[in-house]
Amino acid sequence: MISINNLTVSYGQQPILRNLHLDFQENCIHGIVGLNGAGKTTLLNTVFGFVAFDSGQITYHHQPLTKKEICYVVTDNHFFVNITGREYLELFKDATFDLNQWNVLFNLPLDNLIDGYSTGMKKKLALLGMLKQDKPIIILDEPFNGLDIETCRIIRLVLLKLKKQGKIIIVTSHIIETLTNLCDFIHYLKNGVIQESKTPDEFEQFEETLFEHIETQNQAIIDSLLE
Amino acid sequence: MMALLKIRYLQFYRGFKDTGFVAPFLVGFVGLVGFIMFAQLGNPPINYLIVGAFLISMLSIQISRKDKRFLQHISDNPSQIFFVEYFLLCLPLSLALLYYKDWWLVLALLGGLSGIAHIQYTPQISTANHWLQGLIPAEAVEWKAGVRKFIYVLLPTWLIGFFGAFWIGSVPIALFILGLVPIGFYYKGEPVEFLLAQEKNPQAFLFHKIKNALYIFSILFLPLMSVFILFHTHLWYISVIEYILFGIFLCYSILVKYTFYEPNTELNAASFFSTLGIVSCLIPFLIFIPIILSIRFYFKALQNLNFYLDDFH
């Protein structure tokens, strides 16, 4: 289990995460939702170790969490220019990984330069890299961005299978529906703190409340602008 | 047009600001080169060479720029925008030519810029997966990418060097080109996953990176050195000196790269210091500068890499 206790992160004088508490259990997929600027990416970057925290603790099995245990797929996938998809994947050492078999699912032109890949193809390549690394903790920031319906469904099936293998999976998404049919927990991040954590039987009500809140807050402005 | 030029100015200004502490050196370097060029502009044929070099630079910008389609969408006459941009870039040269009353060259420059501004050609990405790629270790991504990009320079140079070894200048010139080109492979910061994939601590990572680079570099150099020594035994030291010198430059470039490494960015400071190191070697008493700087940059690179690889100690 990953335990986050009293985590505070600031950029300069501006606090982004404030005394945040959160546990991520094994065999579970955890969704993190929040509006833009709520601190989702900062939370993921901090868990991965890319952002130093002001105070608090992040542990994995009661030991400090390290990058060795994590595979982190970021929102915007960058690669090196003038290399092919296959060359990128060769960076990750795993002799048992059957790349060609996995690529039946993703259908990527692995021997073409990544520079010519579409956004969705780059995302698929990053996800193949994640699968090849086979780490116990998987962090996916907006993994469904730019993917077609078929690949979204395939990714969902893969993540559900990985969950059963005992991995901790943390996913963020702007589209809440992609999380409600995938996650075991959804954590709502607002103003740098986890406001609430929901289980699948509470998802529907959570979704309705959230949408209602957003609509109520903005309806009057939209009405006045489009009158 | 004015709005676009304002955007270009702001982009240039921000880019200049991003160079940080390198900025004064950069200004000094550009000023020095500008001064030397101004002094030489009065001497034919150097003035022709300078104008030619400027036109080739503008041509290379026009061919490689990625905003051609965007400008076609927002303007009825994108060539006019290109021309004004290139004209502004060449304005100091035009003024200097006017100072020397070199009217024909000013006209040639403007004519050349006008022609370049109308070029719409953009080269297609080439996959170029040849057998050489398979011989390069998986972790040496810079070499995989660089060899793919410069294969049409590297391969003919190597072949001409090897099969023309009986001619005294063939191998030294080939070694010079083959030694210089790979230094440019290390001007871009790879994504951080590339670093993490190796699961090594900063020291081991740097050692591995340098070892791999020297290994490929040696495979490139040693056959050429052998044929050179075979044909010109009494001049063996020329190829050995080139091997040592470019080997040092290569290590220096790697150390500079990771001193200034940031994921997914063009490492302007790294390219500046690499160039500075190489240029300093052309002046005999400054030949030790890259070696001294390498020691300093080694510790700086370890410090910088520690942020990303601290968990692999």
Side-chain angles (χ1 to χ4, degrees):
Chain A
M1 185 168 78
I2 300 175
S3 295
I4 302 176
N5 291 306
N6 283 319
L7 186 74
T8 298
V9 177
S10 310
Y11 289 142
Q13 295 296 312
Q14 193 190 357
I16 307 294
L17 303 176
R18 307 153 197 259
N19 285 321
L20 188 139
H21 287 270
L22 194 55
D23 288 333
F24 297 118
Q25 295 89 351
E26 269 107 355
N27 298 86
C28 286
I29 301 179
H30 298 264
I32 297 176
V33 292
L35 304 181
N36 290 334
K40 297 188 296 288
T41 302
T42 301
L43 173 62
L44 301 188
N45 282 339
T46 312
V47 171
F48 189 59
F50 273 175
V51 173
F53 42 90
D54 305 335
S55 60
Q57 226 181 8
I58 305 175
T59 57
Y60 174 57
H61 295 316
H62 309 292
Q63 297 292 320
L65 180 63
T66 70
K67 294 184 190 82
K68 284 182 205 170
E69 292 102 14
I70 308 173
C71 174
Y72 182 17
V73 179
V74 294
T75 318
D76 299 314
N77 307 107
H78 290 276
F79 300 92
F80 207 68
V81 286
N82 279 313
I83 65 163
T84 64
R86 194 180 297 279
E87 284 164 358
Y88 166 70
L89 293 168
E90 279 169 2
L91 281 170
F92 308 108
K93 304 273 176 279
D94 183 357
T96 59
F97 188 81
D98 188 342
L99 179 56
N100 292 328
Q101 199 64 37
W102 273 104
N103 199 35
V104 172
L105 288 175
F106 293 101
N107 201 19
L108 283 174
L110 288 175
D111 293 315
N112 286 7
L113 294 187
I114 303 172
D115 312 45
Y117 281 21
S118 68
T119 311
M121 285 156 90
K122 284 182 183 170
K123 183 69 80 181
K124 287 186 202 177
L125 184 65
L127 291 166
L128 267 178
M130 167 206 89
L131 290 164
K132 194 172 179 193
Q133 286 178 72
D134 194 26
K135 300 279 178 93
I137 301 164
I138 295 169
I139 301 178
L140 304 165
D141 196 3
E142 299 286 348
F144 303 105
N145 270 9
L147 294 181
D148 56 38
I149 306 166
E150 187 189 8
T151 317
C152 280
R153 215 60 197 168
I154 290 170
I155 294 295
R156 180 179 172 272
L157 289 174
V158 170
L159 291 179
L160 289 171
K161 197 85 180 166
L162 291 173
K163 173 183 98 167
K164 283 189 182 153
Q165 289 179 0
K167 297 195 191 293
I168 300 176
I169 301 169
I170 306 168
V171 189
T172 70
S173 179
H174 282 105
I175 306 158
I176 200 162
E177 290 85 350
T178 55
L179 296 182
T180 50
N181 65 23
L182 173 73
C183 297
D184 300 290
F185 294 95
I186 291 181
H187 311 282
Y188 181 47
L189 185 64
K190 191 180 176 188
N191 297 328
V193 290
I194 296 292
Q195 292 259 317
E196 44 193 338
S197 294
K198 301 288 183 189
T199 49
D201 52 326
E202 300 168 305
F203 285 171
E204 202 179 325
Q205 203 209 332
F206 168 68
E207 201 175 358
E208 274 172 22
T209 316
L210 187 66
F211 287 166
E212 204 180 295
H213 172 71
I214 294 167
E215 282 168 18
T216 319
Q217 209 175 26
N218 296 294
Q219 192 66 56
I221 304 169
I222 294 168
D223 287 347
S224 73
L225 286 170
L226 294 174
E227 239 169 38
Chain B
M1 170 74 84
M2 287 313 286
L4 265 170
L5 288 178
K6 194 180 167 192
I7 291 170
R8 284 282 180 260
Y9 166 72
L10 289 171
Q11 283 176 322
F12 177 77
Y13 176 70
R14 287 183 196 124
F16 180 72
K17 254 177 68 178
D18 285 347
T19 56
F21 70 96
V22 174
F25 296 103
L26 206 61
V27 170
F29 187 69
V30 171
L32 182 71
V33 172
F35 177 75
I36 294 169
M37 277 205 283
F38 180 72
Q40 295 296 324
L41 261 181
N43 308 327
I46 297 176
N47 51 355
Y48 297 108
L49 292 176
I50 292 174
V51 171
F54 264 77
L55 286 174
I56 289 170
S57 309
M58 297 304 125
L59 178 67
S60 133
I61 294 175
Q62 174 69 7
I63 286 175
S64 59
R65 64 189 294 165
K66 295 186 176 108
D67 60 350
K68 284 206 274 276
R69 191 171 289 176
F70 168 72
L71 289 173
Q72 278 166 355
H73 281 305
I74 62 160
S75 167
D76 293 333
N77 194 358
S79 304
Q80 196 181 14
I81 298 170
F82 296 139
F83 177 76
V84 173
E85 285 179 359
Y86 300 143
F87 174 71
L88 288 175
L89 282 173
C90 294
L91 191 59
L93 177 66
S94 307
L95 293 175
L97 289 169
L98 287 175
Y99 174 82
Y100 284 108
K101 298 190 175 65
D102 227 335
W103 316 111
W104 286 112
L105 268 182
V106 175
L107 281 177
L109 178 68
L110 294 179
L113 292 181
S114 169
I116 289 168
H118 283 85
I119 294 173
Q120 296 300 323
Y121 170 73
T122 305
Q124 296 300 308
I125 298 167
S126 145
T127 44
N129 288 317
H130 36 75
W131 59 273
L132 275 172
Q133 238 71 39
L135 301 178
I136 301 171
E139 310 91 72
V141 278
E142 294 95 343
W143 281 84
K144 278 193 185 279
V147 167
R148 180 174 280 119
K149 190 175 176 185
F150 292 102
I151 188 72
Y152 300 113
V153 175
L154 296 175
L155 195 61
T157 305
W158 196 92
L159 291 173
I160 291 169
F162 191 84
F163 292 107
F166 53 85
W167 179 63
I168 197 161
S170 172
V171 170
I173 292 171
L175 292 180
F176 183 80
I177 296 169
L178 295 173
L180 214 55
V181 171
I183 291 166
F185 296 172
Y186 293 91
Y187 292 166
K188 191 166 167 51
E190 63 268 49
V192 76
E193 303 94 81
F194 285 49
L195 266 66
L196 299 171
Q198 299 194 37
E199 306 199 344
K200 288 184 165 65
N201 65 44
Q203 233 166 346
F205 175 85
L206 268 183
F207 176 74
H208 190 68
K209 205 85 192 173
I210 290 172
K211 191 187 79 179
N212 260 342
L214 286 178
Y215 165 73
I216 304 167
F217 167 80
S218 300
I219 288 178
L220 213 58
F221 261 54
L222 291 177
L224 288 176
M225 288 171 67
S226 308
V227 287
F228 182 74
I229 293 170
L230 194 73
F231 283 105
H232 314 282
T233 316
H234 62 294
L235 294 172
W236 62 272
Y237 56 88
I238 294 179
S239 59
V240 173
I241 288 172
E242 279 194 282
Y243 178 72
I244 294 170
L245 215 56
F246 283 111
I248 291 171
F249 289 157
L250 194 60
C251 299
Y252 171 73
S253 299
I254 296 170
L255 295 171
V256 170
K257 174 186 173 176
Y258 289 106
T259 299
F260 298 103
Y261 171 81
E262 272 180 56
N264 318 315
T265 50
E266 290 289 339
L267 305 171
N268 295 325
S271 68
F272 174 77
F273 274 102
S274 285
T275 312
L276 195 75
I278 294 158
V279 170
S280 70
C281 277
L282 300 175
I283 304 162
F285 59 89
L286 294 178
I287 204 154
F288 290 106
I289 281 192
I291 299 171
I292 296 163
L293 282 178
S294 289
I295 298 166
R296 177 167 169 72
F297 284 140
Y298 171 71
F299 291 104
K300 287 270 181 195
L302 285 184
Q303 206 179 340
N304 190 31
L305 285 173
N306 200 45
F307 176 75
Y308 305 99
L309 302 173
D310 57 338
D311 288 331
F312 298 99
H313 277 294

